[in-house]
Amino acid sequence: MSILVIAEHDNEEIKASTNNVVTAATNLEGDIHVLVAGSNCSGAKDQAAKISGVAKVLVADSPEYEHCLAENIADLIVAISADYSHILSPATTNGKNYMPRVSALLDVAQISDITAIESSDTFERPIYAGNCIATVQNSDSKKVITVRTTAFDAAQNDGSAEVVDLQESHNLGISEFIKEEIAESDRPELTSADVIISGGRGMQNGDNFKILESVADKLGAAIGASRAAVDSGFVPNDYQVGQTGKIVAPNLYIAVGISGAIQHLAGMKDSKVIVAINKDEDAPIFQVADYGLVADLFTAVPELDAKL
Amino acid sequence: MKILVPIKRVVDYNVKVRPKADESGVDLNNVKMAINPFCEIAVEEAVRLKEGGTATEIIAVTVGSSASQEQLRTALALGADRAILVETDIEVEPLAIAKLLKGVVEKESPDLVILGKQAIDGDNNQTSQMLAALTGYAQATFASELKIEGEKALVTREVDGGLQTISVNLPCIVSTDLRLNEPRYASLPNIMKAKQKPLDVIEAGSLGVDIEPRNKTLKVSPPPVREAGIIVETVDDLVDKLKNEAKVIT
Protein backbone atom coordinates (compact mmCIF):
# COMPACT_ATOMS: atom_id res chain seq x y z
CA MET A 1 0.00 0.00 0.00
CA SER A 2 1.10 3.53 -0.72
CA ILE A 3 0.67 6.81 1.12
CA LEU A 4 -1.27 9.72 -0.32
CA VAL A 5 -0.33 13.28 0.56
CA ILE A 6 -2.75 16.03 -0.46
CA ALA A 7 -0.81 19.06 -1.67
CA GLU A 8 -1.47 22.56 -0.38
CA HIS A 9 -1.00 25.00 -3.24
CA ASP A 10 -2.41 28.07 -4.99
CA ASN A 11 -2.33 26.46 -8.45
CA GLU A 12 0.90 28.30 -9.31
CA GLU A 13 3.04 27.21 -6.38
CA ILE A 14 3.27 24.43 -3.82
CA LYS A 15 3.07 25.67 -0.23
CA ALA A 16 5.86 24.66 2.12
CA SER A 17 3.33 22.85 4.32
CA THR A 18 3.18 20.14 1.64
CA ASN A 19 6.91 19.51 2.13
CA ASN A 20 6.37 19.17 5.88
CA VAL A 21 3.70 16.53 5.33
CA VAL A 22 5.92 14.59 2.91
CA THR A 23 8.54 14.41 5.68
CA ALA A 24 5.87 13.10 8.05
CA ALA A 25 4.91 10.50 5.44
CA THR A 26 8.50 9.22 5.24
CA ASN A 27 7.96 7.86 8.77
CA LEU A 28 5.44 5.41 7.29
CA GLU A 29 6.02 2.44 5.03
CA GLY A 30 5.11 2.72 1.38
CA ASP A 31 5.62 4.88 -1.70
CA ILE A 32 4.58 8.48 -1.29
CA HIS A 33 2.17 9.90 -3.85
CA VAL A 34 1.13 13.55 -3.90
CA LEU A 35 -2.24 14.69 -5.19
CA VAL A 36 -2.36 18.13 -6.80
CA ALA A 37 -6.01 19.05 -7.35
CA GLY A 38 -6.53 22.45 -8.90
CA SER A 39 -7.22 24.38 -12.05
CA ASN A 40 -4.46 25.47 -14.43
CA CYS A 41 -2.15 24.08 -11.80
CA SER A 42 0.85 23.07 -13.91
CA GLY A 43 3.09 25.34 -11.83
CA ALA A 44 2.13 23.52 -8.66
CA LYS A 45 2.39 20.16 -10.43
CA ASP A 46 5.97 20.80 -11.56
CA GLN A 47 7.02 21.84 -8.07
CA ALA A 48 5.33 18.83 -6.46
CA ALA A 49 7.31 16.52 -8.74
CA LYS A 50 10.54 17.99 -7.34
CA ILE A 51 9.79 17.28 -3.67
CA SER A 52 12.35 14.77 -2.40
CA GLY A 53 10.92 11.39 -1.44
CA VAL A 54 7.85 11.60 -3.66
CA ALA A 55 7.43 8.66 -6.06
CA LYS A 56 4.41 9.87 -8.02
CA VAL A 57 2.41 13.05 -8.50
CA LEU A 58 -1.27 12.69 -9.37
CA VAL A 59 -2.77 15.72 -11.06
CA ALA A 60 -6.47 16.56 -11.26
CA ASP A 61 -6.55 19.77 -13.29
CA SER A 62 -10.11 20.91 -13.72
CA PRO A 63 -12.18 24.07 -13.04
CA GLU A 64 -14.18 22.44 -10.20
CA TYR A 65 -11.02 22.11 -8.11
CA GLU A 66 -9.86 25.71 -8.53
CA HIS A 67 -10.93 26.98 -5.10
CA CYS A 68 -10.55 23.76 -3.14
CA LEU A 69 -14.27 23.43 -2.34
CA ALA A 70 -14.51 20.66 0.24
CA GLU A 71 -17.35 18.77 -1.44
CA ASN A 72 -15.52 18.32 -4.74
CA ILE A 73 -12.05 17.69 -3.33
CA ALA A 74 -13.37 15.14 -0.82
CA ASP A 75 -15.18 13.18 -3.54
CA LEU A 76 -12.01 13.18 -5.64
CA ILE A 77 -9.87 11.89 -2.77
CA VAL A 78 -12.39 9.18 -1.92
CA ALA A 79 -12.50 8.10 -5.57
CA ILE A 80 -8.74 7.44 -5.66
CA SER A 81 -8.38 6.20 -2.07
CA ALA A 82 -8.47 2.43 -2.68
CA ASP A 83 -4.72 1.97 -3.07
CA TYR A 84 -3.70 3.92 -0.01
CA SER A 85 -3.16 2.88 3.61
CA HIS A 86 -2.69 6.45 4.81
CA ILE A 87 -4.07 9.76 3.52
CA LEU A 88 -2.35 12.84 4.90
CA SER A 89 -2.87 16.57 4.51
CA PRO A 90 -1.43 19.59 6.29
CA ALA A 91 -3.65 20.93 9.09
CA THR A 92 -4.24 24.14 7.13
CA THR A 93 -7.71 25.64 6.81
CA ASN A 94 -8.05 23.72 3.54
CA GLY A 95 -6.96 20.40 5.03
CA LYS A 96 -9.18 20.89 8.06
CA ASN A 97 -12.07 21.61 5.72
CA TYR A 98 -12.00 18.62 3.37
CA MET A 99 -10.27 15.86 5.38
CA PRO A 100 -13.05 15.13 7.93
CA ARG A 101 -15.42 14.94 4.99
CA VAL A 102 -13.12 12.35 3.41
CA SER A 103 -13.01 10.37 6.68
CA ALA A 104 -16.76 10.27 7.10
CA LEU A 105 -17.28 9.21 3.47
CA LEU A 106 -14.79 6.38 4.05
CA ASP A 107 -16.38 5.60 7.45
CA VAL A 108 -13.08 5.97 9.29
CA ALA A 109 -12.04 8.21 12.16
CA GLN A 110 -9.73 11.12 11.46
CA ILE A 111 -6.62 11.72 13.51
CA SER A 112 -6.24 15.51 13.64
CA ASP A 113 -3.12 17.60 13.88
CA ILE A 114 -0.54 14.90 14.59
CA THR A 115 2.86 15.95 15.93
CA ALA A 116 4.65 12.57 15.89
CA ILE A 117 4.33 9.16 14.26
CA GLU A 118 5.15 6.21 16.52
CA SER A 119 4.10 3.46 14.13
CA SER A 120 1.75 2.91 11.20
CA ASP A 121 -1.28 3.10 13.53
CA THR A 122 -0.07 5.13 16.53
CA PHE A 123 0.29 8.89 16.60
CA GLU A 124 0.83 11.75 19.01
CA ARG A 125 -1.42 14.77 18.96
CA PRO A 126 -1.91 17.76 21.25
CA ILE A 127 -5.27 18.15 23.02
CA TYR A 128 -6.63 20.82 25.37
CA ALA A 129 -4.73 23.65 23.65
CA GLY A 130 -1.51 21.66 23.85
CA ASN A 131 -1.65 21.24 27.63
CA CYS A 132 -1.71 17.47 27.11
CA ILE A 133 -0.21 15.24 24.45
CA ALA A 134 -2.33 12.20 23.63
CA THR A 135 -0.88 9.05 22.11
CA VAL A 136 -3.64 7.44 20.07
CA GLN A 137 -3.87 4.11 18.30
CA ASN A 138 -6.31 3.90 15.42
CA SER A 139 -8.05 0.65 14.43
CA ASP A 140 -9.41 1.69 11.03
CA SER A 141 -8.15 0.01 7.86
CA LYS A 142 -7.32 3.38 6.33
CA LYS A 143 -5.81 6.25 8.31
CA VAL A 144 -6.97 9.75 7.51
CA ILE A 145 -4.62 12.24 9.12
CA THR A 146 -3.98 15.97 9.27
CA VAL A 147 -0.43 16.96 10.15
CA ARG A 148 0.75 19.83 12.33
CA THR A 149 3.33 21.16 9.91
CA THR A 150 5.57 22.77 12.54
CA ALA A 151 6.29 19.32 14.00
CA PHE A 152 8.04 18.05 10.86
CA ASP A 153 10.91 19.57 8.85
CA ALA A 154 10.21 20.48 5.24
CA ALA A 155 11.34 17.92 2.65
CA GLN A 156 13.96 19.17 0.19
CA ASN A 157 13.21 19.91 -3.45
CA ASP A 158 15.71 17.78 -5.36
CA GLY A 159 13.49 14.92 -6.48
CA SER A 160 11.95 13.99 -9.81
CA ALA A 161 8.68 12.12 -9.43
CA GLU A 162 6.62 10.52 -12.16
CA VAL A 163 3.57 12.64 -13.07
CA VAL A 164 0.19 11.06 -13.83
CA ASP A 165 -2.84 12.98 -15.06
CA LEU A 166 -6.12 11.89 -13.51
CA GLN A 167 -9.32 11.96 -15.50
CA GLU A 168 -11.51 12.43 -12.45
CA SER A 169 -14.35 14.91 -12.45
CA HIS A 170 -16.25 15.50 -9.24
CA ASN A 171 -18.58 18.45 -9.10
CA LEU A 172 -21.33 18.01 -6.54
CA GLY A 173 -22.78 21.38 -7.53
CA ILE A 174 -24.03 22.26 -4.05
CA SER A 175 -21.43 24.90 -3.26
CA GLU A 176 -20.00 27.74 -5.26
CA PHE A 177 -17.00 30.03 -4.85
CA ILE A 178 -17.98 33.70 -4.80
CA LYS A 179 -14.87 35.70 -3.90
CA GLU A 180 -11.83 35.87 -1.72
CA GLU A 181 -9.88 38.59 -0.01
CA ILE A 182 -6.37 37.30 0.31
CA ALA A 183 -3.82 39.62 1.85
CA GLU A 184 -0.94 40.42 -0.51
CA SER A 185 2.33 40.76 1.31
CA ASP A 186 6.03 40.69 0.55
CA ARG A 187 6.68 39.24 3.97
CA PRO A 188 7.14 35.51 4.57
CA GLU A 189 4.08 33.44 5.44
CA LEU A 190 3.43 33.12 9.16
CA THR A 191 3.47 29.34 9.17
CA SER A 192 6.85 29.05 7.46
CA ALA A 193 8.64 32.20 8.66
CA ASP A 194 12.00 31.98 10.48
CA VAL A 195 11.19 35.03 12.57
CA ILE A 196 7.80 36.31 13.73
CA ILE A 197 6.94 39.49 15.58
CA SER A 198 3.43 39.50 17.02
CA GLY A 199 1.35 42.21 18.63
CA GLY A 200 -1.42 41.91 21.20
CA ARG A 201 -3.97 44.06 22.94
CA GLY A 202 -1.12 46.24 24.24
CA MET A 203 -0.66 47.62 20.72
CA GLN A 204 -3.82 49.68 21.37
CA ASN A 205 -4.78 50.10 17.69
CA GLY A 206 -4.03 48.95 14.17
CA ASP A 207 -1.87 51.97 13.27
CA ASN A 208 0.58 51.08 16.00
CA PHE A 209 1.38 47.80 14.21
CA LYS A 210 3.55 50.02 11.95
CA ILE A 211 6.25 50.01 14.63
CA LEU A 212 6.35 46.21 14.35
CA GLU A 213 6.58 46.42 10.55
CA SER A 214 9.85 48.28 10.68
CA VAL A 215 11.40 45.63 12.94
CA ALA A 216 9.92 42.90 10.76
CA ASP A 217 11.53 44.43 7.67
CA LYS A 218 14.96 44.34 9.30
CA LEU A 219 14.59 40.76 10.52
CA GLY A 220 12.81 39.40 7.46
CA ALA A 221 10.00 38.51 9.82
CA ALA A 222 6.32 37.74 9.42
CA ILE A 223 3.82 39.70 11.51
CA GLY A 224 1.34 37.92 13.74
CA ALA A 225 -1.17 38.85 16.41
CA SER A 226 -3.04 37.51 19.39
CA ARG A 227 -6.76 36.85 19.31
CA ALA A 228 -7.35 40.01 21.37
CA ALA A 229 -5.70 42.15 18.67
CA VAL A 230 -7.72 40.49 15.90
CA ASP A 231 -11.02 40.67 17.80
CA SER A 232 -10.38 44.37 18.43
CA GLY A 233 -9.99 44.88 14.70
CA PHE A 234 -6.33 45.98 14.82
CA VAL A 235 -5.35 43.46 12.15
CA PRO A 236 -7.13 40.88 9.93
CA ASN A 237 -7.94 37.32 11.00
CA ASP A 238 -5.11 35.75 9.02
CA TYR A 239 -2.64 37.27 11.51
CA GLN A 240 -3.97 35.22 14.42
CA VAL A 241 -1.58 32.85 16.17
CA GLY A 242 -3.12 30.45 18.67
CA GLN A 243 -5.13 27.33 19.43
CA THR A 244 -7.68 28.10 16.76
CA GLY A 245 -5.56 30.34 14.56
CA LYS A 246 -2.19 29.49 13.09
CA ILE A 247 0.28 27.22 14.83
CA VAL A 248 3.82 28.52 14.39
CA ALA A 249 7.29 27.45 15.49
CA PRO A 250 9.86 29.91 14.13
CA ASN A 251 13.47 30.22 15.29
CA LEU A 252 12.59 33.54 16.92
CA TYR A 253 9.18 34.65 18.15
CA ILE A 254 8.86 38.18 19.54
CA ALA A 255 5.64 38.75 21.50
CA VAL A 256 4.88 42.45 21.93
CA GLY A 257 2.12 43.58 24.26
CA ILE A 258 0.76 40.03 24.46
CA SER A 259 -0.26 38.80 27.91
CA GLY A 260 0.01 35.11 27.01
CA ALA A 261 -3.41 33.45 27.37
CA ILE A 262 -3.39 29.62 27.19
CA GLN A 263 -4.97 29.88 23.76
CA HIS A 264 -2.16 32.08 22.40
CA LEU A 265 0.62 29.99 23.97
CA ALA A 266 -0.88 26.93 22.27
CA GLY A 267 0.01 28.48 18.93
CA MET A 268 3.61 29.53 19.55
CA LYS A 269 5.21 27.77 22.50
CA ASP A 270 7.18 25.41 20.28
CA SER A 271 9.15 28.35 18.88
CA LYS A 272 12.91 27.94 19.36
CA VAL A 273 13.54 31.28 21.05
CA ILE A 274 10.76 33.37 22.54
CA VAL A 275 11.12 37.05 23.41
CA ALA A 276 8.42 38.87 25.37
CA ILE A 277 8.11 42.63 25.64
CA ASN A 278 5.39 43.65 28.06
CA LYS A 279 5.04 46.32 30.72
CA ASP A 280 3.18 43.94 33.05
CA GLU A 281 5.86 41.88 34.79
CA ASP A 282 3.24 39.35 35.92
CA ALA A 283 2.06 38.59 32.38
CA PRO A 284 2.00 34.79 31.80
CA ILE A 285 3.95 35.25 28.55
CA PHE A 286 7.12 35.68 30.66
CA GLN A 287 6.75 32.11 31.91
CA VAL A 288 7.47 30.75 28.43
CA ALA A 289 9.85 33.48 27.25
CA ASP A 290 13.59 32.84 26.97
CA TYR A 291 14.19 36.57 27.17
CA GLY A 292 11.74 38.89 28.83
CA LEU A 293 11.88 42.67 28.78
CA VAL A 294 9.60 44.45 31.20
CA ALA A 295 9.10 47.75 29.42
CA ASP A 296 6.63 50.01 27.66
CA LEU A 297 6.49 48.62 24.14
CA PHE A 298 6.15 52.12 22.66
CA THR A 299 9.68 52.98 23.80
CA ALA A 300 11.22 49.49 23.68
CA VAL A 301 10.18 48.53 20.14
CA PRO A 302 11.48 51.72 18.45
CA GLU A 303 14.69 51.34 20.44
CA LEU A 304 15.01 47.72 19.31
CA ASP A 305 14.34 48.87 15.76
CA ALA A 306 17.14 51.43 15.99
CA LYS A 307 19.63 48.89 17.29
CA LEU A 308 19.09 46.17 14.71
CA MET B 1 -36.72 28.13 8.82
CA LYS B 2 -35.75 25.54 11.38
CA ILE B 3 -32.22 25.59 12.79
CA LEU B 4 -30.47 22.75 14.58
CA VAL B 5 -27.59 23.74 16.86
CA PRO B 6 -25.43 20.87 18.14
CA ILE B 7 -23.41 21.86 21.21
CA LYS B 8 -20.83 20.23 23.50
CA ARG B 9 -20.11 20.19 27.22
CA VAL B 10 -16.38 20.83 27.75
CA VAL B 11 -13.94 21.97 30.40
CA ASP B 12 -14.23 25.74 30.91
CA TYR B 13 -11.79 27.60 28.67
CA ASN B 14 -10.04 29.25 31.63
CA VAL B 15 -9.04 25.92 33.17
CA LYS B 16 -5.53 24.69 32.50
CA VAL B 17 -5.92 20.92 32.41
CA ARG B 18 -3.22 18.41 33.23
CA PRO B 19 -2.69 14.73 32.53
CA LYS B 20 -3.34 12.27 35.37
CA ALA B 21 -0.22 11.23 37.25
CA ASP B 22 -0.35 7.72 35.72
CA GLU B 23 -0.82 9.25 32.23
CA SER B 24 -4.01 7.22 31.70
CA GLY B 25 -6.00 10.28 30.74
CA VAL B 26 -6.80 13.90 31.48
CA ASP B 27 -7.42 14.87 35.09
CA LEU B 28 -10.96 16.24 35.09
CA ASN B 29 -11.72 15.90 38.79
CA ASN B 30 -13.63 18.89 40.17
CA VAL B 31 -13.03 20.86 37.01
CA LYS B 32 -15.53 23.54 35.99
CA MET B 33 -17.53 22.53 32.92
CA ALA B 34 -19.15 24.86 30.40
CA ILE B 35 -20.65 25.07 26.94
CA ASN B 36 -17.88 25.01 24.33
CA PRO B 37 -17.15 28.65 23.30
CA PHE B 38 -17.58 27.97 19.57
CA CYS B 39 -20.96 26.31 20.31
CA GLU B 40 -22.05 29.41 22.18
CA ILE B 41 -21.30 31.43 19.05
CA ALA B 42 -23.44 28.94 17.08
CA VAL B 43 -26.38 29.37 19.46
CA GLU B 44 -26.03 33.15 19.29
CA GLU B 45 -26.05 33.13 15.49
CA ALA B 46 -29.23 31.03 15.44
CA VAL B 47 -30.89 33.36 17.94
CA ARG B 48 -29.99 36.39 15.82
CA LEU B 49 -31.47 34.70 12.74
CA LYS B 50 -34.67 34.17 14.72
CA GLU B 51 -34.71 37.72 16.04
CA GLY B 52 -34.19 38.95 12.47
CA GLY B 53 -37.23 36.98 11.31
CA THR B 54 -35.31 34.43 9.22
CA ALA B 55 -35.62 31.50 11.61
CA THR B 56 -38.76 30.24 13.27
CA GLU B 57 -37.46 27.51 15.56
CA ILE B 58 -34.12 26.70 17.19
CA ILE B 59 -33.37 23.22 18.50
CA ALA B 60 -30.26 22.68 20.59
CA VAL B 61 -28.90 19.14 20.65
CA THR B 62 -25.99 17.44 22.33
CA VAL B 63 -24.51 13.96 22.58
CA GLY B 64 -23.27 12.93 25.98
CA SER B 65 -24.09 11.91 29.51
CA SER B 66 -27.07 13.27 31.45
CA ALA B 67 -24.77 15.96 32.92
CA SER B 68 -24.87 17.64 29.48
CA GLN B 69 -28.44 18.72 30.24
CA GLU B 70 -26.84 21.62 32.08
CA GLN B 71 -25.34 22.97 28.83
CA LEU B 72 -28.61 22.38 26.96
CA ARG B 73 -30.33 24.53 29.59
CA THR B 74 -27.71 27.21 28.93
CA ALA B 75 -28.56 27.07 25.22
CA LEU B 76 -32.27 27.33 26.09
CA ALA B 77 -31.55 30.34 28.30
CA LEU B 78 -29.67 31.96 25.40
CA GLY B 79 -32.72 31.58 23.17
CA ALA B 80 -33.11 28.04 21.84
CA ASP B 81 -36.75 26.89 21.81
CA ARG B 82 -36.26 23.26 22.76
CA ALA B 83 -33.48 20.79 23.33
CA ILE B 84 -32.58 17.17 22.69
CA LEU B 85 -30.07 15.09 24.61
CA VAL B 86 -28.77 12.03 22.79
CA GLU B 87 -27.68 10.18 25.86
CA THR B 88 -24.67 7.90 26.07
CA ASP B 89 -21.97 7.28 28.63
CA ILE B 90 -19.44 6.16 26.02
CA GLU B 91 -16.79 8.76 25.21
CA VAL B 92 -17.94 9.33 21.66
CA GLU B 93 -15.62 10.37 18.85
CA PRO B 94 -16.48 12.98 16.20
CA LEU B 95 -17.47 10.32 13.64
CA ALA B 96 -19.90 8.73 16.11
CA ILE B 97 -21.29 12.14 17.08
CA ALA B 98 -21.79 12.98 13.41
CA LYS B 99 -23.65 9.69 12.88
CA LEU B 100 -25.93 10.35 15.83
CA LEU B 101 -26.52 13.94 14.69
CA LYS B 102 -27.42 12.63 11.25
CA GLY B 103 -30.15 10.63 12.98
CA VAL B 104 -31.44 13.80 14.61
CA VAL B 105 -31.25 15.68 11.29
CA GLU B 106 -33.39 12.95 9.68
CA LYS B 107 -36.02 13.29 12.42
CA GLU B 108 -36.09 17.08 12.56
CA SER B 109 -35.33 18.05 8.94
CA PRO B 110 -33.68 21.41 9.76
CA ASP B 111 -32.95 23.87 6.96
CA LEU B 112 -29.70 24.87 8.59
CA VAL B 113 -27.33 23.26 11.08
CA ILE B 114 -24.90 25.59 12.88
CA LEU B 115 -22.19 24.20 15.10
CA GLY B 116 -18.85 25.18 16.57
CA LYS B 117 -15.80 24.57 14.37
CA GLN B 118 -13.95 22.81 17.14
CA ALA B 119 -14.39 21.77 20.75
CA ILE B 120 -11.63 23.03 23.00
CA ASP B 121 -11.12 19.66 24.68
CA GLY B 122 -10.16 17.33 21.83
CA ASP B 123 -9.34 20.16 19.37
CA ASN B 124 -10.46 17.83 16.59
CA ASN B 125 -12.31 20.19 14.26
CA GLN B 126 -14.19 17.36 12.52
CA THR B 127 -17.84 17.01 13.50
CA SER B 128 -19.44 19.60 11.20
CA GLN B 129 -17.57 18.41 8.13
CA MET B 130 -18.40 14.77 8.93
CA LEU B 131 -22.08 15.59 9.44
CA ALA B 132 -22.06 17.36 6.07
CA ALA B 133 -20.52 14.29 4.43
CA LEU B 134 -23.01 11.88 6.00
CA THR B 135 -26.07 13.98 5.16
CA GLY B 136 -24.73 14.85 1.70
CA TYR B 137 -25.21 18.53 2.49
CA ALA B 138 -22.86 21.34 1.56
CA GLN B 139 -20.52 22.62 4.25
CA ALA B 140 -19.43 26.16 5.09
CA THR B 141 -16.79 25.91 7.77
CA PHE B 142 -15.02 28.57 9.88
CA ALA B 143 -17.75 31.15 9.23
CA SER B 144 -17.20 34.80 10.12
CA GLU B 145 -20.36 36.01 8.35
CA LEU B 146 -23.60 34.22 7.47
CA LYS B 147 -26.43 35.52 5.28
CA ILE B 148 -29.48 33.56 4.20
CA GLU B 149 -30.55 34.47 0.67
CA GLY B 150 -33.55 32.45 -0.51
CA GLU B 151 -32.53 28.82 -0.97
CA LYS B 152 -28.86 29.54 -0.36
CA ALA B 153 -26.53 30.63 2.39
CA LEU B 154 -23.79 33.14 1.66
CA VAL B 155 -20.93 32.45 4.03
CA THR B 156 -17.65 34.28 4.54
CA ARG B 157 -15.00 31.90 5.87
CA GLU B 158 -11.79 32.58 7.79
CA VAL B 159 -9.03 30.89 5.77
CA ASP B 160 -5.24 30.90 6.10
CA GLY B 161 -4.69 33.71 3.61
CA GLY B 162 -7.62 35.91 4.66
CA LEU B 163 -11.31 35.55 3.87
CA GLN B 164 -13.21 33.43 1.35
CA THR B 165 -16.89 33.80 0.49
CA ILE B 166 -18.91 30.85 -0.79
CA SER B 167 -22.54 30.23 -1.59
CA VAL B 168 -24.01 26.90 -0.50
CA ASN B 169 -27.38 25.29 -1.14
CA LEU B 170 -29.74 24.83 1.81
CA PRO B 171 -30.00 22.72 3.83
CA CYS B 172 -26.36 23.10 4.78
CA ILE B 173 -23.93 22.72 7.64
CA VAL B 174 -22.18 25.84 8.95
CA SER B 175 -19.34 25.80 11.47
CA THR B 176 -18.56 28.94 13.44
CA ASP B 177 -15.29 30.81 13.81
CA LEU B 178 -14.50 33.37 16.49
CA ARG B 179 -15.51 36.50 14.62
CA LEU B 180 -19.03 35.40 13.64
CA ASN B 181 -20.57 37.22 16.60
CA GLU B 182 -20.14 38.03 20.26
CA PRO B 183 -22.47 35.83 22.29
CA ARG B 184 -24.80 37.48 24.79
CA TYR B 185 -25.06 36.56 28.45
CA ALA B 186 -28.19 34.77 29.57
CA SER B 187 -30.39 37.01 31.71
CA LEU B 188 -31.79 35.73 34.98
CA PRO B 189 -35.41 35.74 33.74
CA ASN B 190 -34.31 33.79 30.66
CA ILE B 191 -32.45 31.28 32.82
CA MET B 192 -35.67 30.78 34.81
CA LYS B 193 -37.76 30.48 31.64
CA ALA B 194 -35.31 27.93 30.22
CA LYS B 195 -36.23 25.52 32.99
CA GLN B 196 -39.74 25.26 31.54
CA LYS B 197 -38.67 24.69 27.95
CA PRO B 198 -38.94 21.13 26.56
CA LEU B 199 -35.86 18.91 26.79
CA ASP B 200 -36.22 15.46 25.24
CA VAL B 201 -33.86 12.62 26.01
CA ILE B 202 -33.15 10.01 23.33
CA GLU B 203 -31.07 6.90 24.01
CA ALA B 204 -28.09 6.90 21.63
CA GLY B 205 -28.75 3.21 20.98
CA SER B 206 -32.21 3.99 19.60
CA LEU B 207 -30.66 5.73 16.58
CA GLY B 208 -29.14 2.45 15.41
CA VAL B 209 -25.66 3.61 14.42
CA ASP B 210 -22.19 2.29 15.24
CA ILE B 211 -20.65 4.55 17.86
CA GLU B 212 -17.81 2.34 19.04
CA PRO B 213 -14.55 4.32 19.31
CA ARG B 214 -11.98 3.74 16.57
CA ASN B 215 -9.17 5.44 18.42
CA LYS B 216 -7.68 4.11 21.63
CA THR B 217 -5.82 6.58 23.82
CA LEU B 218 -2.69 4.77 24.94
CA LYS B 219 -1.49 7.58 27.16
CA VAL B 220 -1.84 11.27 27.88
CA SER B 221 1.40 12.99 28.80
CA PRO B 222 2.39 16.55 29.63
CA PRO B 223 3.94 18.62 26.83
CA PRO B 224 7.69 19.28 26.87
CA VAL B 225 8.47 21.91 29.48
CA ARG B 226 10.25 25.07 28.42
CA GLU B 227 13.17 25.93 30.60
CA ALA B 228 12.71 29.14 32.51
CA GLY B 229 14.19 32.11 30.72
CA ILE B 230 15.68 35.31 32.02
CA ILE B 231 14.55 38.90 32.36
CA VAL B 232 16.83 41.34 30.57
CA GLU B 233 17.11 44.90 31.83
CA THR B 234 17.57 46.86 28.63
CA VAL B 235 17.04 46.66 24.90
CA ASP B 236 20.83 46.54 24.51
CA ASP B 237 20.96 43.43 26.68
CA LEU B 238 18.20 41.87 24.63
CA VAL B 239 19.95 42.52 21.32
CA ASP B 240 23.21 41.22 22.76
CA LYS B 241 21.58 37.97 23.98
CA LEU B 242 19.81 37.39 20.68
CA LYS B 243 23.05 37.92 18.75
CA ASN B 244 25.62 36.23 20.93
CA GLU B 245 23.78 33.72 23.13
CA ALA B 246 20.75 32.54 21.18
CA LYS B 247 22.38 33.41 17.85
CA VAL B 248 19.02 33.96 16.18
CA ILE B 249 19.84 37.36 14.70
CA THR B 250 22.99 38.68 13.10
Side-chain angles (χ1 to χ4, degrees), chain B:
Chain B
M1 160 181 273
K2 194 168 173 182
I3 306 180
L4 185 72
V5 185
I7 62 165
K8 190 175 186 190
R9 172 185 169 89
V10 297
V11 169
D12 185 89
Y13 77 101
N14 284 310
V15 175
K16 189 175 175 185
V17 301
R18 291 187 172 75
K20 289 180 186 166
D22 66 0
E23 301 200 335
S24 63
V26 179
D27 188 358
L28 297 179
N29 266 335
N30 301 317
V31 167
K32 186 183 172 200
M33 303 298 283
I35 181 171
N36 179 49
F38 289 96
C39 303
E40 221 171 351
I41 294 172
V43 175
E44 176 67 31
E45 195 64 17
V47 173
R48 290 184 189 192
L49 285 169
K50 193 177 168 195
E51 287 170 346
T54 306
T56 48
E57 188 183 24
I58 303 167
I59 308 156
V61 57
T62 194
V63 176
S65 69
S66 64
S68 304
Q69 292 196 22
E70 194 187 331
Q71 280 63 46
L72 287 173
R73 291 288 172 203
T74 306
L76 292 169
L78 291 169
D81 297 295
R82 59 188 174 91
I84 301 168
L85 168 64
V86 180
E87 192 169 355
T88 172
D89 287 325
I90 299 183
E91 201 174 316
V92 276
E93 294 174 352
L95 181 63
I97 296 173
K99 288 180 178 182
L100 293 168
L101 291 177
K102 184 195 175 207
V104 176
V105 166
E106 282 167 356
K107 280 181 193 227
E108 297 288 349
S109 307
D111 305 283
L112 177 64
V113 183
I114 313 179
L115 60 174
K117 77 165 180 179
Q118 128 183 22
I120 59 167
D121 49 6
D123 284 335
N124 281 304
N125 195 334
Q126 299 175 4
T127 304
S128 62
Q129 299 88 321
M130 288 179 160
L131 178 60
L134 297 177
T135 54
Y137 294 165
Q139 66 188 59
T141 52
F142 325 144
S144 66
E145 200 183 343
L146 166 64
K147 280 189 211 146
I148 305 298
E149 294 182 341
E151 295 302 303
K152 291 176 189 288
L154 193 66
V155 180
T156 301
R157 310 176 51 235
E158 295 201 5
V159 296
D160 284 336
L163 297 170
Q164 181 195 59
T165 304
I166 59 171
S167 169
V168 291
N169 292 2
L170 295 177
C172 70
I173 314 288
V174 173
S175 86
T176 64
D177 216 316
L178 293 169
R179 258 71 61 177
L180 185 59
N181 59 53
E182 244 181 84
R184 69 195 65 191
Y185 291 98
S187 68
L188 190 59
N190 284 341
I191 292 171
M192 300 309 290
K193 254 189 265 173
K195 292 181 180 168
Q196 308 305 322
K197 290 184 179 176
L199 192 163
D200 293 329
V201 180
I202 309 176
E203 276 302 314
S206 72
L207 291 168
V209 294
D210 168 24
I211 59 169
E212 280 305 307
R214 315 286 183 86
N215 289 326
K216 188 172 156 195
T217 300
L218 303 181
K219 68 171 179 178
V220 176
S221 45
V225 182
R226 284 192 80 91
E227 283 184 30
I230 57 165
I231 295 289
V232 295
E233 296 302 321
T234 64
V235 171
D236 282 325
D237 284 351
L238 177 62
V239 173
D240 175 60
K241 295 285 185 195
L242 292 178
K243 276 187 180 163
N244 301 315
E245 193 176 271
K247 298 186 170 52
V248 284
I249 61 173
T250 49

Side-chain angles (χ1 to χ4, degrees), chain A residues 232-301:
Chain A
S232 305
F234 301 172
V235 287
N237 65 287
D238 50 290
Y239 280 49
Q240 188 180 326
V241 171
Q243 180 184 14
T244 67
K246 294 195 173 76
I247 309 288
V248 301
N251 283 324
L252 174 60
Y253 187 91
I254 307 175
V256 180
I258 291 177
S259 64
I262 297 171
Q263 290 78 13
H264 185 73
L265 300 184
M268 46 62 79
K269 68 186 165 69
D270 293 328
S271 304
K272 195 163 153 242
V273 173
I274 298 174
V275 170
I277 301 175
N278 201 305
K279 64 182 176 188
D280 173 12
E281 60 183 301
D282 296 323
I285 190 77
F286 288 120
Q287 291 164 19
V288 300
D290 298 280
Y291 303 108
L293 179 64
V294 182
D296 182 352
L297 71 93
F298 294 106
T299 51
V301 175

